[in-house]
Amino acid sequence: MLNIEKPRLRHCTLIDEPAANKTTLVVGTDYFVLEREHGNREDFLRLKSLLDGRHSISEIHQRTGISLADIEGVIREFEAAGLLQDRSDKPTIAVSDFLQRVESASLMWRRQIGLHRIFAGLSNGTYSREVFLGLLIETYHYVYLLPRTLDSLSKLMPPSPFQAVVAEYAHEEMDHYEAYQEALSTVPEIGSSLPTSHPTVGTLSLVRNFESIGRRSDLSLVCCLQLIEARKSEISEAENNLRSIADRYDLPHLVEAFINHMKADIDLGHSNLLSEALEGAEFISADEAHEAVNDMHDIKHCFDAFHESVMGYYRDISNYIPRPKVDYFAL
């Protein structure tokens, strides 16, 4: 039931447009445009930060200085729009509802990943050519490492539909790195050094988080794989953006391997992994569902850290490209 005494907002993404004096609140596949008629953005964000189910309306008033009437007005608007959490103590969740919510969340979080500042900076030429190369190099490392990690995990999993899905996915992804390597090797400063190069810590952390999740929960792992796979509806925009960036940095030939990989995964049905693993099931444990959603959210933030790591390493003109391993003789 809705708890208006201590309101709790559904998970959302905020897209701020200061010039238009509005903020778009994204919840799953739903969009809500909030226009600022009075007050200011900072007050709204402070209010939003306290809608976590741990603060009463009076406490929010005391913490923010916003009038009780304004707070109650916002909460009523959120309730009417279905933006407050409707929680339940039931021990199970219907698979049909779980699939729908996970897909909606995946689309929301995928869009949020795409809003990272690295893409805006590359699109408008703010960042150097090395940052674009770095993004492609680290993607190569990720595409090489993840299926090998998943293959190892699948061999530790007991026989189940989840094990079968993970094993098949790992097998289908295993050689996709080769096209990336072939394309990147044509760049003079990369040449033949890619296979012996070393990923950034952000890339390693991303893959290792997948491993940690997979050792703990089969459901979580497949949910996270569902999150990362491109949807057919996304391809056109992603392809256009990638080609535009590549043209800006005079590297148009590099992106074909990346675009073809996305298209191949769509043809393989990789955005339907979760429904395959849950085929025939009617209910799942609520506790496992909560854990899976939280793990998906962590993976989303791991991609944020992945992109920050690319920027951190490849914007430094003193760093080696590609990043070499540091062995004993380097000391």
Side-chain angles (χ1 to χ4, degrees):
M1 295 180 61
L2 295 176
N3 186 346
I4 303 302
E5 172 58 27
K6 291 187 176 181
R8 190 168 184 172
L9 192 64
R10 292 171 61 193
H11 189 87
C12 62
T13 296
L14 296 179
I15 303 174
D16 202 38
E17 299 179 61
N21 202 37
K22 67 180 182 180
T23 297
T24 301
L25 191 151
V26 184
V27 180
T29 55
D30 296 324
Y31 292 75
F32 302 86
V33 177
L34 311 177
E35 295 184 350
R36 291 187 286 278
E37 297 179 356
H38 59 85
N40 58 65
R41 175 179 179 273
E42 288 71 23
D43 283 343
F44 171 73
L45 294 179
R46 277 193 289 269
L47 169 60
K48 184 261 182 189
S49 75
L50 297 173
L51 298 179
D52 58 2
R54 296 179 290 188
H55 300 87
S56 67
I57 293 173
S58 62
E59 289 172 334
I60 295 171
H61 163 65
Q62 293 169 5
R63 292 277 295 271
T64 64
I66 301 172
S67 72
L68 288 171
D70 283 345
I71 294 171
E72 291 171 353
V74 170
I75 291 171
R76 281 195 297 270
E77 290 288 336
F78 282 171
E79 180 186 9
L83 292 174
L84 297 185
Q85 294 187 21
D86 188 3
R87 304 185 71 80
S88 169
D89 294 328
K90 292 180 179 179
T92 60
I93 291 174
V95 166
S96 57
D97 181 59
F98 182 71
L99 289 172
Q100 184 275 320
R101 293 202 180 211
V102 165
E103 179 62 9
S104 294
S106 295
L107 295 174
M108 173 178 65
W109 285 332
R110 286 180 58 76
R111 181 176 183 187
Q112 191 171 5
I113 291 169
L115 291 173
H116 190 276
R117 61 184 177 135
I118 192 172
F119 298 109
L122 291 173
S123 294
N124 60 32
T126 302
Y127 301 141
S128 67
R129 178 175 181 272
E130 286 73 21
V131 173
F132 181 51
L133 285 177
L135 178 62
L136 301 183
I137 290 169
E138 295 307 315
T139 301
Y140 153 81
H141 283 301
Y142 165 73
V143 169
Y144 177 84
L145 291 171
L146 183 60
R148 284 153 181 77
T149 299
L150 296 174
D151 183 58
S152 297
L153 286 170
S154 71
K155 293 173 182 175
L156 299 175
M157 297 165 65
S160 72
F162 288 95
Q163 189 275 339
V165 163
V166 173
E168 182 178 12
Y169 178 90
H171 173 74
E172 291 174 345
E173 292 284 339
M174 195 63 72
D175 63 354
H176 284 179
Y177 78 94
E178 293 175 355
Y180 289 59
Q181 182 176 314
E182 182 179 353
L184 287 166
S185 68
T186 64
V187 179
E189 55 261 57
I190 296 176
S192 62
S193 62
L194 197 60
T196 58
S197 64
H198 195 59
T200 66
V201 172
T203 305
L204 292 172
S205 296
L206 173 59
V207 174
R208 286 167 181 168
N209 201 25
F210 271 103
E211 180 180 13
S212 175
I213 288 168
R215 288 180 178 275
R216 184 167 28 82
S217 168
D218 298 349
L219 177 64
S220 287
L221 179 60
V222 175
C223 284
C224 291
L225 294 178
Q226 171 113 348
L227 166 66
I228 66 175
E229 287 299 323
R231 274 62 172 173
K232 189 174 183 178
S233 60
E234 301 170 330
I235 283 296
S236 178
E237 182 179 3
E239 183 175 351
N240 290 338
N241 290 342
L242 195 52
R243 290 188 192 282
S244 176
I245 293 171
D247 288 344
R248 176 177 289 278
Y249 292 98
D250 296 321
L251 294 167
H253 65 287
L254 280 189
V255 298
E256 295 305 317
F258 298 78
I259 292 169
N260 290 338
H261 185 192
M262 286 191 292
K263 291 180 176 178
D265 283 352
I266 288 172
D267 292 340
L268 289 167
H270 284 177
S271 61
N272 298 313
L273 297 174
L274 185 60
S275 60
E276 291 178 25
L278 289 172
E279 185 175 1
E282 294 185 19
F283 296 94
I284 59 173
S285 160
D287 288 341
E288 291 180 359
H290 297 322
E291 181 179 32
V293 169
N294 189 60
D295 285 332
M296 289 175 66
H297 187 238
D298 281 350
I299 286 293
K300 192 276 293 186
H301 279 298
C302 279
F303 273 98
D304 295 335
F306 166 83
H307 291 130
E308 288 294 324
S309 185
V310 169
M311 292 176 59
Y313 184 83
Y314 292 92
R315 289 174 75 184
D316 188 336
I317 61 174
S318 71
N319 282 335
Y320 305 113
I321 299 177
R323 186 182 184 220
K325 292 181 179 179
V326 176
D327 63 16
Y328 177 79
F329 293 107
L331 302 181

